[in-house]
Amino acid sequence: MKEGISLSRLLTYCLLVFVMFTWGLNVVAVKVLVNHFPPVLMQSFRILLAGIIAITVLYFLRDLRKLTWKEWGLTILAAGFGQMLHHSLLAIGLVETTAANGALILGLIPLTTSVLAMFFFRETLTRLKFLGIILGLTGVAFVVLQTSSDLGGISKGDLYIFISMLSQSISFIVIKKITATLSSRQMTAIMLLVGSIFLLVLSIFLEPNGTSQIVGISSSVWIIFILSAVFATGIGHILYNTAIHHIGAGKTAIFNNLVPFFALVGSFLFLKEPISLSQIIGFVLIVLGVVLGTGYMDTYLQQRIKKVGKDTTVIKRELS
């Protein structure tokens, strides 16, 4: 029995690494796509395709049910922040900054979500969490202050992606409330579909001639578009939520630290973007900030203390 559980967890870990790999390369893919498509219109089509894939998979898995009015309201709110604002600002930001910078800033999502949870859910701010917040923000400073611009050293693209990251973190707080009663997989699929509609409407105002600009795009770019939508956004989110079900949110979320790493490597290999020393320092600080600031280290230390206490009790009983 133990062997079966071990193999199951090993498979889950492998799937998570695959998901983080696709998510890291997805930042690179979006960087390529925004150079050929109107950014917001592209995101609306990409998210729509991902939503169709996700809802189809859940239909065959029989993991769908009617939503209550409250669940619809929260899902629409989450789609506004997590799909419309996040993906539109991400695409617009990647037009003016590198994929590597974008991925490193997005690496702050777990830490920012943890900080927001302290305000909305009154979670405790420990010394390690506070240290993590400082390290994470310092890491982002190393990344975004490496280029000069008219915004005091912060590029406009980096600023857009930072707001995009903040929007995604806010959506996760809303999602936490929804998933108390609704399957996270169904919520994700519906949120993708609703979000794609929001993005399409937004593109009409921001890119009124957007549809005329997608004519004549090469087949290789369309392949990147399909792979991004299907594997990274559609199937990737389903696998991620499945992993949460099997090994818990805490262990699953820590794999998010691999996303900036894969994105850095991908941007270097496929986009020929140079990796600077400040980006490497920023990456290390952000990862340390996420590990400390999200409470992973607090939880680990508490578990170790409990284990040492139990071992000490057993030894005392054996000696008495």
Side-chain angles (χ1 to χ4, degrees), residues 277-305:
L277 178 61
S278 60
Q279 287 176 324
I280 295 175
I281 295 174
F283 169 73
V284 173
L285 290 175
I286 289 171
V287 170
L288 288 174
V290 169
V291 172
L292 296 175
T294 50
Y296 298 141
M297 189 57 64
D298 285 312
T299 302
Y300 173 77
L301 291 175
Q302 289 173 3
Q303 291 175 346
R304 291 294 300 172
I305 291 172

Side-chain angles (χ1 to χ4, degrees), residues 61-193:
L61 292 176
R62 296 183 179 180
D63 190 14
L64 294 172
R65 68 164 176 81
K66 291 183 179 180
L67 275 65
T68 65
W69 285 109
K70 181 180 179 180
E71 289 169 342
W72 270 117
L74 290 173
T75 300
I76 291 172
L77 182 62
F81 282 103
Q83 302 300 320
M84 184 181 72
L85 287 178
H86 170 66
H87 286 291
S88 62
L89 290 171
L90 172 62
I92 295 171
L94 283 175
V95 173
E96 302 191 43
T97 190
T98 63
N101 268 26
L104 289 172
I105 296 171
L106 292 177
L108 267 184
I109 288 176
L111 177 59
T112 306
T113 305
S114 180
V115 172
L116 291 174
M118 294 176 194
F119 289 99
F120 289 99
F121 303 121
R122 297 182 180 179
E123 294 185 2
T124 305
L125 175 63
T126 64
R127 292 180 180 178
L128 287 179
K129 285 184 178 181
F130 180 75
L131 176 61
I133 293 169
I134 299 300
L135 289 175
L137 293 176
T138 303
V140 170
F142 269 93
V143 174
V144 303
L145 295 178
Q146 64 175 320
T147 55
S148 60
S149 71
D150 56 354
L151 290 175
I154 302 176
S155 82
K156 192 180 295 184
D158 289 341
L159 181 60
Y160 284 146
I161 293 179
F162 185 86
I163 300 173
S164 166
M165 178 275 299
L166 181 61
S167 299
Q168 183 75 297
S169 300
I170 294 173
S171 77
F172 286 159
I173 296 297
V174 181
I175 287 170
K176 187 173 182 179
K177 288 183 172 291
I178 306 171
T179 51
T181 59
L182 180 66
S183 161
S184 60
R185 293 186 296 188
Q186 181 177 353
M187 177 276 306
T188 300
I190 295 175
M191 193 172 69
L192 288 171
L193 292 174

